[in-house]
Amino acid sequence: MHAPRPEPVAVDPITVEVIGSAFSSITEEMGEALVKASYSTNIKERRDCSTALFDLDGTTLCQAEHIPMHLGSFIGIIPHILKRHAVADMRSGDVFIGNDAYEGGGTHLPDIVLAEPIFHDGVMVAWAVNTAHHADFADRGHAHIFQEGIRIPPIRLYRAGELLTDVQELILLNCQVPRERLSDLRAQMAANRMGVERVGALCDKYGRDVVLAAGRALQDYAERKMRAGIAAIPDGTYRFADRFDGPEIEGDIEFKVEITVRGDEMHLHFDSPRQVRAGFNMVYTALLSTVYYAVKTVVDPTIPPNSGLARPLTVTAPEGTVLNCKSPAAVNGRIAPCQRVVDLIHGALAQAVPDRVIAACNGACASAVFVGEMPGTGDLWVYLETIGGGSGARPNKDGLDGVHVHMTNTSNLPVEALEVEYPLTVVRYELVDGSGGRGRQRGGMGLRRVYRAEAPCRVDIDGSRFHTRPWGLAGGEPGAGGAFEFGEGVGPFRRGEGTLEPGQTVGIVTPGAGGYGPYAERDPAAVERDRAERRMLEGA
């Protein structure tokens, strides 16, 4: 049964801190269990997954420090479950599955979420939730969401601990590599079970009412810290605009933000063109998760990662636009505009607190998806990879080279792991000379990754900052943009899609990042080191 609203319980700050640390360790342990038990390279190597705990109302108690973007898949799932399923009918061992961006609380279809209610002594107290990116729905169109994969509303996958095999079979029949999907779903189940057990043990140790009260106190604490941080920003209205491009569209489009700071509250309003017949539209929960991340990084990075930090923030954007799309807009590539939204927020807040903001990072989520048949067996294989780039220069330090930034936080896939599992060879993997923007502090460098096909395959490559460059701050210069590189004999790629025959190559060059401060003020020793390490173009 649902936990009755307990009488207020006085919890001392030390207990709140201890329980808060326990929440954090539980979500991190859930994440490690998911990674170690998974089968696909995208999860076991690249760690494209996240874990969290939620309270009864579906607000965040704690999210592990994995991928900020996945908060967008979390904050919608529990409300959708509660809308569809009566709490009185839920039992220990129930597990709900969903991924739909419009009816399932997700942000794009590959991120499949599993949510399990946590019971203690027969009373429901919280939710264990995780999501994993299933690299499966490939070689598909992106004119609308119906082309992008199976849409799963929040439905039961397990009822009282019993697998609903017909539901699982329906999902797997719509997957291209069902063996991988089944193994990864089992890993997700294991991760949530660990969360259920750990929260139950926490309630045994401290008492259910104390744990629930500590959760509320942690959310209130996050709100206080966010309000204090906003109050330290000068009141005013700050505006910024940037442009977005990608292989799915001709030219580029403009995004705008207007941020109003008044006392201890902040309102962010976004403007963008009408939603498009391409995969880079964003649902509102994707916009929210991006805002929460970007504002937190500037206001106070130490704010606990729970829903309390969102209370002082108001976010608006016209419905039916790229940054707040409505059904049936395609959303598969929503991470790319999310990266640009971070640039918008940082660019606007840099006008108020320049010492807290870094120069623009690479502003992209370059990716490559390969699909083909395995030589010898004919089995279908799908390989997804996202590639890092430059991180923006900081007021007192150079930017980082070749890393994932902002809304992405996946790991580099080792070349050895890739080549063992797929008929691909990485022939070049290197930092791009001169791609970091010059400044008193240099921007981070982009990456070049070139693949050679060893068997026929279809390829979908994506990226951004082809027509624009990551901006610098305080007189810093912009970083280099991105590019695609096609080997000899490769046929034309349309909207980022094409084919490779054995021996043919395709390469992705990711953007660098902006510099910070005038280049004339850079330490001469650092300039010489840049030249020696070939971080600068000839003649610079």
Side-chain angles (χ1 to χ4, degrees), residues 453 456-460 489-493 497-501 504-506:
C457 58
R458 290 192 57 78
V459 187
D460 184 351
V490 176
F493 272 51
E497 298 179 352
T499 60
L500 292 180
E501 295 298 324
Q504 293 182 335
T505 64
V506 63

Side-chain angles (χ1 to χ4, degrees), residues 416-497:
E416 297 84 355
L418 187 160
E419 295 180 351
V420 163
E421 299 212 26
Y422 305 101
L424 296 168
T425 299
V426 177
V427 295
R428 295 181 71 179
Y429 189 30
E430 61 196 20
L431 297 171
V432 179
D433 293 345
S435 55
R438 301 193 311 175
R440 183 175 64 248
Q441 308 297 338
R442 177 186 49 78
M445 300 167 69
L447 289 168
R448 174 180 283 106
R449 193 157 166 108
V450 180
Y451 307 85
R452 183 178 68 223
E454 306 300 343
C457 58
R458 290 192 57 78
V459 187
D460 184 351
I461 49 179
D462 201 0
S464 191
R465 290 288 190 196
F466 300 111
H467 304 149
T468 63
R469 299 169 65 185
W471 38 264
L473 270 182
E477 299 177 15
F484 296 145
E485 298 177 338
F486 301 101
E488 183 177 354
V490 176
F493 272 51
R494 295 181 176 86
R495 295 171 68 92
E497 298 179 352

Side-chain angles (χ1 to χ4, degrees), residues 64-77:
E65 294 182 359
H66 293 163
I67 299 176
M69 182 72 252
H70 286 161
L71 178 62
S73 296
F74 288 155
I75 58 180
I77 186 72

Side-chain angles (χ1 to χ4, degrees), residues 142-144 248-249 253 273-281 320-322 325 328-331 495:
H142 301 291
H144 46 71
E248 290 189 79
I249 58 171
I253 57 179
R274 292 189 59 79
Q275 62 192 48
V276 294
R277 286 176 63 86
F280 59 81
N281 302 288
T321 58
V322 170
C325 66
V331 294
R495 295 171 68 92

Side-chain angles (χ1 to χ4, degrees), residues 6-283:
E7 294 296 321
V9 175
V11 186
D12 63 89
I14 294 176
T15 301
V16 171
E17 182 68 19
V18 169
I19 292 176
S21 295
F23 287 158
S24 179
S25 67
I26 289 169
T27 55
E28 293 293 340
E29 190 176 10
M30 290 168 62
E32 288 304 309
L34 175 49
V35 168
K36 292 183 182 299
S38 61
Y39 184 85
S40 67
T41 56
N42 197 51
I43 303 172
K44 72 181 180 184
E45 297 282 359
R46 298 191 60 252
R47 306 175 72 91
D48 195 348
C49 57
S50 292
T51 54
L53 295 173
F54 280 71
D55 67 13
L56 294 174
D57 298 320
T59 59
T60 319
L61 288 172
C62 185
Q63 181 183 0
E65 294 182 359
H66 293 163
I67 299 176
M69 182 72 252
H70 286 161
L71 178 62
S73 296
F74 288 155
I75 58 180
I77 186 72
I78 305 301
H80 275 280
I81 292 173
L82 297 177
K83 182 173 68 175
R84 288 172 168 268
H85 304 275
V87 172
D89 295 335
M90 295 180 188
R91 299 291 181 267
S92 177
D94 284 0
V95 178
F96 297 86
I97 186 171
N99 75 339
D100 190 63
Y102 299 104
E103 296 297 329
T107 61
H108 76 164
L109 302 185
D111 285 347
I112 296 179
V113 183
L114 263 61
E116 182 169 354
I118 302 173
F119 287 80
H120 180 259
D121 291 340
V123 176
M124 185 174 162
V125 296
W127 292 84
V129 185
N130 73 67
T131 188
H133 184 124
H134 291 255
D136 191 281
F137 307 136
D139 196 19
R140 304 191 183 215
H142 301 291
H144 46 71
I145 196 169
F146 300 106
Q147 294 181 341
E148 295 191 310
I150 183 172
R151 300 177 63 186
I152 310 170
I155 56 177
R156 280 184 176 85
L157 181 62
Y158 285 76
R159 184 185 296 274
E162 293 294 324
L163 173 66
L164 303 179
T165 55
D166 53 347
V167 173
Q168 179 174 277
E169 289 172 359
L170 175 63
I171 293 171
L172 294 178
L173 186 62
N174 284 273
C175 295
Q176 292 168 288
V177 191
R179 184 178 68 161
E180 279 192 3
R181 303 290 71 75
L182 178 58
S183 298
D184 288 344
L185 285 171
R186 288 171 173 169
Q188 289 184 257
M189 274 296 302
N192 274 357
R193 288 307 306 163
M194 178 168 286
V196 170
E197 292 176 4
R198 296 293 188 263
V199 173
L202 199 64
C203 291
D204 286 339
K205 183 174 182 178
Y206 293 98
R208 180 172 64 237
D209 290 348
V210 170
V211 171
L212 296 178
R216 293 190 295 273
L218 287 163
Q219 292 171 333
D220 293 342
Y221 175 59
E223 177 184 4
R224 291 195 301 272
K225 283 184 69 83
M226 178 61 83
R227 289 189 182 278
I230 293 173
I233 298 174
D235 281 2
T237 298
Y238 307 98
R239 299 177 180 87
F240 195 79
D242 205 338
R243 305 199 70 81
F244 176 82
D245 58 32
E248 290 189 79
I249 58 171
E250 296 291 335
D252 50 50
I253 57 179
E254 187 175 55
F255 296 161
K256 298 179 182 179
V257 68
E258 180 178 280
I259 300 178
T260 300
V261 177
R262 184 173 295 112
D264 62 359
E265 295 186 346
M266 181 182 293
H267 174 245
L268 302 94
H269 178 76
F270 296 88
D271 281 307
S272 59
R274 292 189 59 79
Q275 62 192 48
V276 294
R277 286 176 63 86
F280 59 81
N281 302 288
M282 294 168 53
V283 293

